[in-house]
């Protein structure tokens, strides 16, 4: 009998460790009570107690008087499970998912496009219309780099509000942040080089790495605090990393914000490696924007990339780069690759930004997204918890900016299958397989609450999505005859 119980408590240990690894429970987060876990896994309370005692002895969890057990704060380094550099092959999957038509009837919880149903957006397109008519009265010409003078002057102010002091001659206008990141990587790497990214990583960045024939080393990131610093240092000491691409503020897909102290540590341990900072969501902080890596950089090696795609409209395709000491190389590539930019869009957006309506718009959308985040999370968590098999089996990130969040489910969950079924039921989500090169996020889902509304359409969609997820999540009780873990890795 003692052998049987021993096997059971070891499986409790395995279960909790997998939940921590899969980030269903984060550092310092409270674990289920002994009674709750015993009911969930259908084992005795003594079995759970013994499992928790072993986890405590190993340093995985810590006891808190009158508060149960919490995940250890020190148990955050993932360097042992870090994947080696690898080639990226996401284009096939990306084509399948991104080519899906988005019907107006869908519950749009998968797209990273902003909500454009605001008065300022209508004013913006009225300005574009006026500039379109004006273009017929002037000779055809190219808008050569660095870009439209009025637009650049307004971007100086936008960067200053984010804590970045710059001047007009330091800004290069690009075709969205995607081109800014691509040009930056081209300036500091060669095909075959290794690039470090935070993981999960925005699939657009991985596609750039794939197109440039680079290799990615994916360093795990906590959904709340960001990239693992110990694992970052470990990777730098073991691989010839030529560049780093990181999205440290309101990260896509998890929503994490790297703390200021961690940002300074990150700059210190990355030595002289060029850092490409993706800050497209930086303007969507619900409260105060954290210090950018660019503003903390003392070596002029941080290349700052951003755009208006998330704060205004992704269809504008207006981004910019503050290239630091790499400006000449990036400007050269920009001129050679593009020759000319979108004259109409740059001049119209420049005039719109000059009107002062953009600042007012930011205040409105920040309040809207903050309200959406709270209401969406409350509704979705409640819908998930209506299914007994999901209680304690998921983690939904709670970002303090942007309009994206990250759902983590048990490791044997196939979220691509959930994505496919949800789409047939009129619900758009994005499976986690888009955000890693080795299928390590197949059990995760990126969700958007940009267009969320408290109405029957969204209520029914979220309830239906929770039901679909429950059909795909199976947590088997620990049986006396079970010889292997109740949760198997995908």
């Amino acid at each position: 009998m003692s052998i049987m119980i021993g096997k059971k408590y070891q499986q409790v240990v395995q279960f909790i460790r997998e939940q921590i690894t899969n980030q269903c429970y984060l550092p310092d987060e409270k674990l289920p009570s002994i009674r709750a876990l015993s009911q969930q896994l259908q084992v005795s309370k003594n079995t759970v107690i013994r499992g928790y005692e072993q986890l405590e002895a190993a340093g995985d969890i810590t006891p808190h008087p009158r508060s149960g057990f919490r995940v250890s704060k020190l148990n955050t380094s993932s360097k042992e499970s870090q994947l080696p550099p690898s080639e990226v092959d996401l284009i096939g999957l990306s084509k399948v998912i991104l080519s899906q038509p988005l019907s107006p009837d869908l519950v749009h919880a998968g797209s990273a496009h902003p909500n454009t149903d605001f008065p300022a957006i209508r004013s913006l397109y009225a300005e574009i219309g006026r500039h379109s008519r004006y273009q017929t009265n002037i000779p055809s010409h190219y808008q050569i780099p660095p870009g439209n003078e009025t637009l650049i002057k307004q971007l100086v102010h936008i960067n200053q509000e984010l804590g970045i002091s710059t001047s007009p001659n330091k800004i290069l206008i690009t075709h969205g942040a995607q081109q800014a990141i691509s040009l930056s990587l081209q300036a500091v790497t060669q095909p075959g080089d290794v690039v470090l990214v935070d993981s999960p990583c925005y699939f657009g960045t991985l596609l750039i790495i794939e197109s440039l024939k680079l290799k990615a080393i994916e360093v795990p990131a906590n959904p709340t605090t960001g990239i693992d610093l110990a694992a970052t240092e470990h990777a730098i000491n073991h691989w010839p990393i030529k560049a780093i691409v990181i999205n440290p503020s309101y990260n896509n897909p998890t929503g994490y914000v790297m703390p200021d102290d961690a940002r300074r540590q990150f700059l210190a341990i990355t030595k002289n490696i060029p850092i490409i900072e993706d800050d497209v969501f930086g303007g969507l902080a619900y409260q105060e924007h954290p210090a950018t890596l660019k503003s903390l950089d003392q070596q002029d090696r941080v290349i700052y990339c951003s755009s208006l795609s998330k704060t205004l409209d992704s269809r504008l395709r207006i981004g910019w780069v503050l290239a630091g000491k790499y400006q000449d190389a990036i400007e050269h590539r920009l001129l050679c690759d593009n020759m000319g930019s979108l004259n109409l869009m740059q001049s119209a957006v420049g005039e719109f930004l000059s009107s002062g309506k953009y600042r007012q718009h930011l205040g409105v959308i920040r309040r809207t997204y903050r309200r959406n985040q709270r209401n969406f999370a409350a509704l979705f968590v409640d819908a998930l918890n209506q299914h007994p098999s999901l209680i304690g089996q998921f983690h939904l990130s709670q970002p303090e900016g942007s309009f994206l969040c990250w759902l983590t489910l048990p490791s044997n969950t196939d979220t691509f299958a959930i994505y496919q079924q949800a789409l047939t039921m009129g619900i758009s989500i994005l499976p986690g397989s888009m955000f890693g090169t080795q299928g390590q996020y197949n059990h995760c889902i990126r969700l958007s609450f940009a267009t969320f509304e408290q109405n029957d359409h969204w209520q029914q969609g979220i309830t239906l999505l929770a039901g679909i997820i429950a059909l795909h999540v199976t947590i088997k009780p620990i049986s006396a005859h079970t010889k292997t873990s109740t949760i198997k890795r995908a």
Side-chain angles (χ1 to χ4, degrees):
M1 184 67 176
S2 61
I3 295 177
M4 210 179 324
I5 293 176
K7 288 182 179 179
K8 284 185 180 180
Y9 87 75
Q10 287 169 4
Q11 289 172 39
V12 171
V13 170
Q14 175 77 3
F15 173 76
I16 293 297
R17 280 180 173 162
E18 289 208 0
Q19 295 292 85
I20 294 172
T21 298
N22 294 332
Q23 297 181 336
C24 288
Y25 299 120
L26 302 178
D28 203 36
E29 185 171 351
K30 188 175 180 180
L31 292 168
S33 69
I34 291 169
R35 173 180 293 180
L37 192 59
S38 110
Q39 291 174 347
Q40 179 183 336
L41 299 180
Q42 298 182 23
V43 296
S44 71
K45 294 178 183 177
N46 286 338
T47 299
V48 175
I49 291 170
R50 196 166 177 188
Y52 275 179
E53 286 175 345
Q54 180 154 323
L55 287 163
E56 180 188 354
D60 295 303
I61 66 175
T62 54
H64 290 256
R66 296 183 297 278
S67 182
F69 289 87
R70 293 179 179 268
V71 179
S72 295
K73 292 183 181 180
L74 299 178
N75 191 20
T76 59
S77 177
S78 305
K79 62 186 179 183
E80 296 300 324
S81 60
Q82 186 175 295
L83 298 168
S86 64
E87 295 180 350
V88 179
D89 185 11
L90 276 182
I91 189 64
L93 177 64
S94 300
K95 283 183 177 180
V96 169
I97 292 178
L98 298 180
S99 63
Q100 291 291 340
L102 294 179
S103 164
D105 297 328
L106 281 176
V107 173
H108 291 282
S111 155
H113 297 294
N115 188 335
T116 56
D117 189 20
F118 295 100
I121 303 300
R122 291 187 282 276
S123 296
L124 167 63
Y125 278 99
E127 190 68 54
I128 292 171
R130 284 193 290 272
H131 277 255
S132 178
R133 292 187 292 274
Y134 172 71
Q135 292 283 325
T136 62
N137 299 317
I138 60 175
S140 176
H141 67 286
Y142 287 129
Q143 176 65 71
I144 63 170
N148 178 273
E149 183 178 349
T150 301
L151 175 59
I152 288 176
K153 287 181 179 179
Q154 293 304 313
L155 292 179
V156 169
H157 298 312
I158 289 175
N159 283 287
Q160 286 174 340
E161 290 179 359
L162 295 173
I164 302 172
S165 297
T166 189
S167 57
N169 63 350
K170 299 295 184 182
I171 295 178
L172 302 173
I173 306 296
T174 61
H175 193 63
Q178 188 80 349
Q179 187 189 39
I181 294 170
S182 177
L183 291 170
S184 300
L185 279 172
Q186 291 176 56
V188 298
T189 65
Q190 298 291 330
D193 284 348
V194 178
V195 177
L196 186 149
V197 297
D198 47 356
S199 183
C201 179
Y202 170 51
F203 65 85
T205 298
L206 293 174
L207 288 174
I208 293 172
I209 291 172
E210 179 177 350
S211 72
L212 297 179
K213 302 186 185 306
L214 301 168
K215 293 181 179 179
I217 182 161
E218 299 162 271
V219 175
N222 181 289
T224 302
T225 57
I227 195 165
D228 187 315
L229 296 178
T232 299
E233 189 167 24
H234 180 269
I236 289 170
N237 291 334
H238 286 78
W239 305 103
I241 294 168
K242 299 299 183 182
I244 297 170
V245 183
I246 187 168
N247 177 200
S249 300
Y250 317 110
N251 172 269
N252 181 358
T254 65
Y256 83 72
V257 175
M258 183 189 290
D260 285 350
D261 287 347
R263 291 171 190 251
R264 293 183 177 88
Q265 286 181 258
F266 180 78
L267 288 171
I269 65 178
T270 53
K271 303 173 184 176
N272 297 313
I273 301 172
I275 296 173
I276 300 168
E277 180 179 14
D278 177 0
D279 196 34
V280 294
F281 289 98
L284 296 179
Y286 300 159
Q287 296 179 326
E288 185 178 355
H289 185 282
T292 61
L293 293 173
K294 182 68 175 177
S295 66
L296 299 173
D297 176 26
Q298 300 296 316
Q299 300 172 292
D300 209 22
R301 64 185 171 100
V302 173
I303 305 172
Y304 180 85
C305 302
S306 192
S307 78
L308 298 174
S309 294
K310 308 306 179 186
T311 54
L312 282 176
D313 192 337
S314 53
R315 290 171 290 191
L316 298 176
R317 306 312 301 145
I318 289 181
W320 66 92
V321 57
L322 301 175
K325 63 184 179 182
Y326 308 104
Q327 176 154 346
D328 288 345
I330 293 175
E331 186 169 2
H332 176 78
R333 288 186 174 274
L334 181 59
L335 180 60
C336 293
D337 288 357
N338 268 33
M339 184 64 73
S341 303
L342 301 175
N343 307 31
L344 166 63
M345 211 61 75
Q346 287 197 24
S347 63
V349 172
E351 288 296 325
F352 169 79
L353 294 177
S354 301
S355 72
K357 293 179 181 178
Y358 180 70
R359 180 189 289 270
Q360 298 172 6
H361 174 67
L362 280 181
V364 172
I365 61 174
R366 286 166 180 161
R367 290 191 295 272
T368 299
Y369 291 148
R370 184 177 190 177
R371 182 177 64 249
N372 285 2
Q373 189 274 322
R374 291 174 175 174
N375 293 336
F376 175 86
L379 185 61
F380 191 37
V381 168
D382 182 65
L384 292 170
N385 282 332
Q386 295 303 309
H387 301 273
S389 64
L390 295 179
I391 296 175
Q393 301 304 311
F394 64 89
H395 183 274
L396 183 67
S397 67
Q398 305 284 320
E400 288 298 320
S402 88
F403 46 77
L404 301 176
C405 57
W406 185 245
L407 178 67
T408 304
L409 297 165
S411 60
N412 61 342
T413 308
D414 181 358
T415 58
F416 186 76
I418 293 174
Y419 154 79
Q420 290 177 307
Q421 185 174 352
L423 200 59
T424 66
M425 305 299 287
I427 304 166
S428 166
I429 60 173
L430 207 60
S433 49
M434 292 279 286
F435 300 93
T437 66
Q438 306 295 315
Q440 65 269 48
Y441 303 110
N442 289 349
H443 61 297
C444 300
I445 297 172
R446 191 194 73 181
L447 297 158
S448 169
F449 46 85
T451 59
F452 172 78
E453 294 182 13
Q454 288 186 295
N455 56 28
D456 290 343
H457 181 62
W458 273 91
Q459 171 79 55
Q460 293 166 7
I462 288 175
T463 301
L464 185 58
L465 177 59
I468 294 170
I469 291 172
L471 291 174
H472 290 265
V473 173
T474 54
I475 302 298
K476 300 178 182 178
I478 296 177
S479 153
H481 303 291
T482 303
K483 294 184 179 180
T484 58
S485 172
T486 57
I487 293 186
K488 298 179 181 178
R489 292 192 179 276

